[in-house]
Amino acid sequence: MKTVVQAGWRSPGFDAVLAAATLAVSLVLASSAGRGQAGTRPMDGLAYVTVLGSCGLLTMRRRFPLQVAGTVGVGLLLLSVREYPGGPLLLPVMIALYTVGTTQERRAALLAGVAATAVVVMRAWATTAAHGQVSAFTWAAPGWVIASLVWGAAVRSRRQTVEALRQRVEEAERTREQEAALQVADERLRIARDLHDVIGHSFTTVNVQARVAATLLQDAPDRARQALEAIEAISRDALREIRQALSLLREGESGTPDRTRGATSRAGTAQIDQLLGPLRTAGLTVDATIQLPRRPIPVVIDAAVYRIVQEALTNVLRHAAASHVTLRISTDDHGMQVKVADDGTGSTPPPFGGTGASSGRTGGHGIEGMRERALALGGHLDAGPLPGRGFAVTAYLPVAG
């Protein structure tokens, strides 16, 4: 409603009505202006034409504020020089100066105000010098002129303040929306990495255990049973983690995800030993040294270390064709370092029918996901072949003190 009213005030139709009303008031003032103003000549045709033209110019006051104010000022000067009564053009002058105040910069408005005030004051001085007296109306005119200009300038200042506030509010809203969108995208990417790691590790491990069970089913049924039980446990854990991830994705559709929660909040360095079993089952020699900090590890760092180790070991099973794998987790005063290295070639099928594709080490999303995890936490990750034989993944994650 307020916007509609403001639009009406600023329309050409409103200016036309204002000009007509101003003309009516000015004509009334002109008919009685000579009373009490000694030495002034009666209003004649020239005076009325000047009043009519000055009021008519108010219809263009928004498009040409300085020109309209200047022309109305010339009309006021003409009435003064011709010694017509003061008053008929006071209202047009006030409206013109108010418009200057609302539309022009401070310097231009000040110059226009000084010029108009000088004309009005000179008229009062000239009248006093010629006739020895001047009406109270004439003496009050400069104050009304200045007040009109100051009022217009105040309105302009308020409009600018309101507009600046509106723009800041809109910018803040856009910033909040952008931040929320980035948070959602970042959370979805993180969940996608978790799903990739969970599914990749689980299926690779299930594949290894299934091959073991098939191989030992006749000669060592107890070990085959253990492999099948491992498959059941791995599948159950994977389903649980996938459900958690999908649950977070559904929550994210109705609002900003809770970044303090993870798709797999239970996964951490305390479960790293469980990742080594499938490698030993596959016949690999595992050399693991895990040195964790004495102080509590931030949840995001703890989960990232686990996921990096999980993905690196999964790649060993899938692509390395290795016989020996080394895991080192060490801690210094500033962070944690993770290194997973193997002696494989990455080009021949691993035990129990892995894919053995060498591209799996450097292509796909596994290494990219590990690197994204490290970079997101202010760390870094390097992955590549070792001199002669083997492959290594090394990551460093800073831990805030």
Side-chain angles (χ1 to χ4, degrees):
M1 182 65 182
K2 183 177 180 181
T3 303
V4 174
V5 173
Q6 289 177 343
W9 288 350
R10 299 172 184 176
S11 65
F14 175 81
D15 286 342
V17 173
L18 177 64
T22 303
L23 176 61
V25 173
S26 297
L27 291 176
V28 171
L29 291 175
S31 65
S32 59
R35 302 170 188 173
Q37 297 187 41
T40 58
R41 70 170 62 186
M43 297 286 290
D44 55 17
L46 177 61
Y48 280 110
V49 168
T50 302
V51 173
L52 177 62
S54 298
C55 293
L57 287 174
L58 295 180
T59 58
M60 298 184 291
R61 65 190 182 95
R62 298 184 194 275
R63 287 183 294 171
F64 310 104
L66 288 176
Q67 292 87 334
V68 169
T71 305
V72 174
V74 170
L76 179 63
L77 185 61
L78 175 63
L79 294 186
S80 177
V81 171
R82 298 280 295 177
E83 296 187 347
Y84 291 112
L89 284 187
L90 182 60
L91 187 57
V93 169
M94 292 173 62
I95 293 176
L97 288 178
Y98 169 82
T99 305
V100 169
T102 60
T103 58
Q104 302 302 303
E105 295 294 338
R106 182 176 301 177
R107 182 177 181 181
L110 180 62
L111 291 176
V114 168
T117 303
V119 171
V120 175
V121 170
M122 286 175 60
R123 174 179 174 78
W125 176 81
T127 302
T128 303
H131 308 288
Q133 61 179 351
V134 65
S135 67
F137 178 87
T138 303
W139 280 120
W144 294 344
V145 169
I146 295 174
S148 300
L149 183 65
V150 172
W151 183 22
V155 170
R156 182 174 188 272
S157 177
R158 180 181 178 278
R159 288 176 181 172
Q160 290 177 332
T161 301
V162 171
E163 178 63 18
L165 179 60
R166 183 188 64 81
Q167 291 179 355
R168 286 198 297 269
V169 170
E170 292 180 353
E171 180 64 25
E173 185 64 26
R174 285 194 296 268
T175 301
R176 283 195 296 269
E177 292 176 355
Q178 292 171 355
E179 289 178 351
L182 289 174
Q183 289 179 358
V184 170
D186 183 62
E187 187 72 0
R188 289 178 180 271
L189 178 61
R190 186 190 63 77
I191 293 173
R193 288 197 298 261
D194 283 355
L195 285 173
H196 172 275
D197 294 347
V198 170
I199 294 173
H201 176 76
S202 300
F203 274 83
T204 299
T205 305
V206 165
N207 178 272
V208 170
Q209 298 287 2
R211 296 283 178 171
V212 169
T215 302
L216 301 177
L217 186 60
Q218 298 296 328
D219 299 330
D222 291 339
R223 291 184 58 190
R225 185 181 301 108
Q226 292 176 356
L228 294 174
E229 291 173 351
I231 290 174
E232 179 187 5
I234 293 168
S235 302
R236 182 173 60 251
D237 292 342
L239 286 174
R240 172 181 55 78
E241 296 190 46
I242 291 172
R243 287 194 188 100
Q244 290 177 348
L246 295 178
S247 174
L248 283 183
L249 284 174
R250 284 193 293 270
E251 290 178 7
E253 293 175 357
S254 58
T256 303
D258 184 354
R259 297 176 63 83
T260 62
R261 295 176 55 187
T264 54
S265 58
R266 298 180 184 178
T269 52
Q271 288 78 41
I272 285 180
D273 284 339
Q274 300 175 10
L275 301 176
L276 304 178
L279 281 81
R280 296 189 176 101
T281 301
L284 278 72
T285 301
V286 179
D287 179 12
T289 302
I290 301 175
Q291 177 195 355
L292 299 179
R294 295 180 180 179
R295 63 179 184 274
I297 306 173
V299 175
V300 291
I301 300 294
D302 192 54
V305 169
Y306 176 87
R307 290 304 179 194
I308 290 173
V309 172
Q310 182 185 52
E311 179 62 22
L313 294 179
T314 299
N315 283 343
V316 172
L317 282 174
R318 294 176 61 187
H319 307 296
S323 60
H324 185 275
V325 60
T326 301
L327 168 63
R328 296 284 185 270
I329 299 178
S330 57
T331 304
D332 59 28
D333 293 337
H334 305 289
M336 299 179 64
Q337 180 169 303
V338 179
K339 182 174 183 179
V340 178
D342 62 71
D343 62 352
T345 63
S347 60
T348 58
F352 309 110
T355 62
S358 61
S359 62
R361 293 297 192 101
T362 57
H365 301 286
I367 291 177
E368 177 185 352
M370 288 189 289
R371 184 172 288 112
E372 287 175 351
R373 288 183 189 277
L375 291 175
L377 297 173
H380 58 83
L381 183 140
D382 297 314
L386 295 172
R389 182 181 177 88
F391 195 91
V393 174
T394 304
Y396 185 85
L397 303 178
V399 178

